[in-house]
Amino acid sequence: MGTWGFWGLLFSIFARFAFAAPTPFLTQYLNSETLKPLAKNLPAGSEQLAPLYVGATPRAMEVYQRTSWTPSLDQSLKTKGEAQAQWLAKQLSRESLELEAWPTSNDQGELTWVFARWRTDSISPWNWIPPFEIDALPADSGPILPLELKVSNKADREVLFTDFVKLPDLYAKPRFGDAVWEDATGKIIGGWFPPDKRQAFANRFSETSKMVAHVLPQPARFNDKPWALALKFSGSHVLWPPILRWTSESTATSSFAPLVPLAFQSHYRSRFEEDVKILSGEQLAFFPMSGRKALFLKKNSSDPKHDLEKMADYLEERYHALGIITYRQTFTWRGIKQSNVVAYIPGTDMTDDEPVLFADHYDTAFAEDIFESSKKRVSTPGADDNVTATATLLGSAEYLSEAKLKHSVWLVHLTGEEYPADDLGARQLFSWLLAHKTPVKGLVIVDMIGHQVAGDLRFQISRASDIDSAHVAQVGLQAAKQFAPKWEAKVEGKQDKESYLYNTDGEIAARLGYPVILFNEHLNRTNRNTQNPFYHKSTDVLAHVNFDYAVAIAQTATV
């Protein structure tokens, strides 16, 4: 190697580290508790928005001890970033400027940019970006801009500190966890404090306080370090750091694994229907081992008197009756006991320690129609959302335990997927898996498979962006041809408009870097308000479940 080649290589390595280092702007105000690895800090989205990982995922770092050399961003972020920066420059009446920015995932699971502050050049002071109206941008292309809230303003104070049970909107949340705090002099004192500090801050900052909160998602992470960019915009161009690696969502067009040769018996359908009737609270449950009886009516995790612990007991007894071992992950949230239930089906390969997780959530939402009329929070029966999925796992148990699979399978009943718990059980489970460096092959999740609109034959297999998820989705497509020939399965990538992964426990797995696919009915962000009139309603009952449709998807997911 010549002298210039050596110095060129050295410069290249230096440039990698120089540009990969986090910018020193708002990232320095992240609280030390917030900066803990996600294995120890997975707050609910209803309390604090999670960061986007642009390097190694938590799974890669915690389980396999791998890090990344360069920040990696989806190609769509480049297109969006340039359009958004140009739009902001126009709003600010600037031909050139510098923008403090980082990528994130919005409430609809779409990748976009957070733009926090701006300045005219690299030696000028930073200014917060005003909350411009973004209607001028194409649909789904808007950036996330800071929301300014004043502690002295009564309405703003309520938005920051009021607990969800006292807010007038069923899905409203306190914004405390997403706030950067600025005193009367404009000095930033910190940001993105742990949600459990909310009441302490409310007590500390009285109604006469001059504190201002700027609400926006926390910065991205690169190898678990805070990461943001100072983007230079001039004319119509963004000067992107050369260290960035632009990628596209992985695709797969064929499967590599043979299907499990399962032969579902004729009683599968009748048992599936009976399970839906029992678990939705329309029929008394008879416990097969203890002889107990129970009716499952209150199934939201935030209800101090919920029936979910009784339901967990019932699920365990159902598996024990089949000779299947179960484990219970028990914890408290808001002072209320909660449990994930795991049924363990061992694989034939004793050297293989990577289980496949087959999961549902067994809690239900609060009924929107009842809240609208009475402001009371009452659990839905949840026949479709998500009893059909719980019945899927129960129905799969005897077949998977007899199939002699190579990999072990965990049938995982997760609690607290619905608001306000926001993936509570999934966060607890994956925090445990990461903390114990437990390898997992991947996750197959079932969520809402029973509502079918007349004439619409489609159901969805939504997947994460990685290549392993793409391959598993193709196996699901292959299974659909065999077990759901009457229906039309369609694979949706994570960034496709009709993916529904973002609104399920699968989003937690995908953010952490686990391969994951989701089976669900034809419901997504483009049609959720028109396709299912019983969604999160008191009318989500047995009579509105299409069992031909649900059973076909259930059997496909099991394979």
Side-chain angles (χ1 to χ4, degrees):
M1 179 183 294
T3 303
W4 176 246
F6 170 78
W7 287 109
L9 176 62
L10 188 63
F11 176 79
S12 175
I13 293 173
F14 171 78
R16 280 176 174 264
F17 284 102
F19 280 105
T23 54
F25 311 128
L26 285 184
T27 57
Q28 67 182 298
Y29 300 110
L30 277 163
N31 181 268
S32 61
E33 290 295 309
T34 307
L35 283 172
K36 284 183 178 179
L38 281 190
K40 302 178 180 66
N41 183 42
L42 270 172
S46 59
E47 297 174 323
Q48 187 176 63
L49 297 173
L52 185 72
Y53 274 75
V54 300
T57 64
R59 176 183 179 234
M61 289 184 287
E62 296 288 335
V63 180
Y64 301 108
Q65 307 301 302
R66 298 172 186 162
T67 56
S68 295
W69 280 82
T70 58
S72 179
L73 302 180
D74 189 276
Q75 184 69 36
S76 65
L77 281 168
K78 188 175 186 180
T79 305
K80 284 185 180 180
E82 290 170 351
Q84 292 171 359
Q86 186 170 9
W87 175 81
L88 274 174
K90 183 177 179 181
Q91 303 305 307
L92 293 165
S93 302
R94 301 283 172 176
E95 292 187 3
S96 63
L97 74 167
E98 196 169 294
L99 294 162
E100 183 180 30
W102 56 85
T104 193
S105 182
N106 64 21
D107 288 341
Q108 287 72 48
E110 297 166 312
L111 293 172
T112 190
W113 287 92
V114 176
F115 288 100
R117 298 184 297 179
W118 71 278
R119 59 186 180 184
T120 54
D121 52 57
S122 58
I123 61 173
S124 300
W126 287 102
N127 307 284
W128 288 99
I129 294 176
F132 296 116
E133 293 292 332
I134 60 174
D135 294 343
L137 286 172
D140 304 324
S141 295
I144 296 178
L145 306 178
L147 171 66
E148 183 179 288
L149 299 174
K150 297 180 179 180
V151 173
S152 59
N153 181 287
K154 182 180 179 181
D156 289 357
R157 187 179 178 84
E158 288 180 354
V159 171
L160 283 165
F161 299 123
T162 305
D163 191 34
F164 80 93
V165 296
K166 298 179 181 178
L167 289 169
D169 187 305
L170 187 59
Y171 298 109
K173 65 176 185 178
R175 304 303 298 272
F176 168 79
D178 297 320
V180 175
W181 296 90
E182 195 174 66
D183 65 18
T185 68
K187 179 183 178 181
I188 296 175
I189 65 165
W192 301 287
F193 288 93
D196 60 9
K197 305 293 185 185
R198 174 172 54 86
Q199 192 56 55
F201 268 68
N203 295 338
R204 176 183 171 188
F205 299 145
S206 68
E207 291 85 348
T208 60
S209 172
K210 300 299 183 182
M211 294 294 295
V212 174
H214 300 276
V215 176
L216 68 170
Q218 59 179 296
R221 298 288 191 276
F222 175 66
N223 292 344
D224 231 356
K225 302 297 182 184
W227 187 88
L229 293 170
L231 292 179
K232 296 181 185 298
F233 177 84
S234 180
S236 60
H237 301 286
V238 171
L239 181 61
W240 297 102
I243 191 61
L244 293 180
R245 184 168 67 95
W246 300 101
T247 64
S248 298
E249 191 166 67
S250 298
T251 59
T253 56
S254 61
S255 62
F256 292 90
L259 295 178
V260 177
L262 297 183
F264 295 99
Q265 298 177 13
S266 57
H267 64 250
Y268 182 97
R269 164 71 179 261
S270 60
R271 287 185 179 177
F272 188 95
E273 288 192 37
E274 184 176 15
D275 283 338
V276 173
K277 186 178 294 185
I278 291 169
L279 298 173
S280 61
E282 296 189 33
Q283 179 175 305
L284 198 65
F286 291 86
F287 290 59
M289 306 294 285
S290 65
R292 291 169 58 191
K293 300 176 185 178
L295 201 60
F296 307 129
L297 299 175
K298 299 177 180 179
K299 292 175 287 188
N300 191 279
S301 297
S302 67
D303 186 343
K305 297 181 179 180
H306 68 63
D307 295 325
L308 293 172
E309 288 301 301
K310 289 189 292 185
M311 197 167 168
D313 293 340
Y314 175 74
L315 293 172
E316 286 195 307
E317 287 202 21
R318 287 286 302 272
Y319 291 118
H320 293 168
L322 293 172
I324 296 173
I325 297 171
T326 63
Y327 300 92
R328 193 102 158 234
Q329 184 185 27
T330 300
F331 52 95
T332 59
W333 175 67
R334 296 177 64 89
I336 307 167
K337 187 177 180 181
Q338 316 283 346
S339 293
N340 290 326
V341 177
V342 180
Y344 173 70
I345 300 174
T348 57
D349 186 352
M350 302 304 293
T351 64
D352 180 17
D353 62 351
E354 292 191 330
V356 175
L357 275 54
F358 190 23
D360 75 326
H361 71 85
Y362 69 105
D363 63 307
T364 68
F366 284 131
E368 295 173 356
D369 51 339
I370 293 177
F371 185 82
E372 185 177 348
S373 62
S374 68
K375 298 303 177 185
K376 293 181 179 179
R377 289 175 166 84
V378 178
S379 302
T380 67
D384 179 36
D385 184 13
N386 194 29
V387 168
T388 49
T390 308
T392 298
L393 267 63
L394 284 172
S396 75
E398 66 176 291
Y399 299 99
L400 293 177
S401 61
E402 294 172 357
K404 308 300 180 184
L405 302 173
K406 175 183 176 182
H407 301 286
S408 60
V409 175
W410 295 5
L411 303 178
V412 184
H413 298 283
L414 296 166
T415 191
E417 188 266 0
E418 299 290 1
Y419 188 88
D422 268 8
D423 308 313
L424 173 67
R427 289 184 285 111
Q428 288 288 328
L429 176 67
F430 283 103
S431 287
W432 186 92
L433 291 171
L434 288 172
H436 289 80
K437 305 188 186 307
T438 303
V440 169
K441 199 76 175 175
L443 172 69
V444 176
I445 190 165
V446 184
D447 196 340
M448 302 177 64
I449 60 169
H451 181 262
Q452 185 254 337
V453 176
D456 184 359
L457 302 179
R458 181 174 152 190
F459 67 92
Q460 298 180 189
I461 305 174
S462 300
R463 61 172 179 81
S465 298
D466 61 283
I467 190 64
D468 288 338
S469 297
H471 286 321
V472 177
Q474 289 301 313
V475 176
L477 202 58
Q478 183 181 344
K481 294 176 182 178
Q482 181 175 344
F483 292 96
K486 177 181 175 182
W487 312 99
E488 299 173 3
K490 182 168 181 204
V491 173
E492 302 289 354
K494 182 75 164 61
Q495 294 307 312
D496 290 340
K497 294 291 185 186
E498 296 201 359
S499 172
Y500 201 60
L501 192 68
Y502 77 95
N503 208 30
T504 70
D505 286 324
E507 175 69 15
I508 299 297
R511 278 181 178 269
L512 297 176
Y514 290 89
V516 54
I517 66 168
L518 162 74
F519 286 86
N520 74 288
E521 63 204 34
H522 189 189
L523 175 73
N524 48 65
R525 61 174 166 252
T526 66
N527 68 0
R528 63 177 290 182
N529 295 321
T530 57
Q531 291 293 86
N532 189 346
F534 316 116
Y535 177 76
H536 287 189
K537 302 286 200 309
S538 62
T539 50
D540 184 7
V541 295
L542 184 83
H544 295 141
V545 173
N546 181 326
F547 282 100
D548 286 341
Y549 183 67
V551 166
I553 303 173
Q555 293 180 346
T556 299
T558 299
V559 174

